[in-house]
Amino acid sequence: HSLEHNAEWQQRVSVTCAEFGLADNTVHYAPLRNYGEFDWYSVPDALPDDISLVVCDGPPSDTRGGRYGVLPLLAGKLASECKVLLDDANRPPEQAILSRWETEFSTTWERRDTARGFARVVVGSSVTS
């Protein structure tokens, strides 16, 4: 499952998945919406429960709250131990999100010092929505 807030990108990713034979993937059109203190994707009802891996490369960095929303909004859909790969983890806003998740959701994480940085976040069973 993939979330895209831009209908053109949703279509492009869907076509690319089909071209690569990834028929079991669903690319959801999920416009950004206001959740009070942050904006994030509209969460489709069709997302499965027990998600064990999330690759978080959006929404765009200029979105209010950045990528913070993935944990508070998907907490009820995550497996008892879920891994989140957070892209651009070398940027200060993502570093602040990592610290906030650690405090609010008891996550642990490690960052890879690649050009843009990737963090592997472990979300334990104590996550609640």
Side-chain angles (χ1 to χ4, degrees), residues 5-128:
H5 71 283
N6 178 296
E8 179 183 339
W9 272 99
Q10 185 263 342
Q11 181 63 27
R12 287 175 69 176
V13 173
S14 294
V15 167
T16 301
C17 285
E19 288 173 349
F20 280 101
L22 303 171
D24 291 340
N25 292 291
T26 303
V27 183
H28 301 273
Y29 175 60
L32 297 177
R33 64 173 276 212
N34 181 323
Y35 288 96
E37 67 176 284
F38 61 90
D39 297 334
W40 207 70
Y41 300 103
S42 303
V43 179
D45 292 334
L47 286 182
D49 292 329
D50 213 30
I51 297 169
S52 60
L53 175 66
V54 175
V55 179
C56 186
D57 189 25
S61 61
D62 61 351
T63 302
R64 191 172 59 97
R67 296 170 179 171
Y68 169 75
V70 69
L71 286 190
L73 296 176
L74 296 184
K77 298 276 189 184
L78 302 180
S80 61
E81 186 174 292
C82 177
K83 307 279 189 307
V84 176
L85 300 179
L86 178 67
D87 193 19
D88 302 310
N90 286 342
R91 297 189 310 201
E94 277 70 18
Q95 291 175 19
I97 288 169
L98 288 167
S99 294
R100 188 170 177 189
W101 286 348
E102 187 174 34
T103 300
E104 295 178 12
F105 298 99
S106 301
T107 62
T108 58
W109 55 273
E110 64 178 306
R111 192 171 37 151
R112 301 293 174 163
D113 288 323
T114 60
R116 291 175 24 193
F118 236 103
R120 179 175 69 88
V121 181
V122 177
V123 184
S125 59
S126 62
V127 174
T128 57

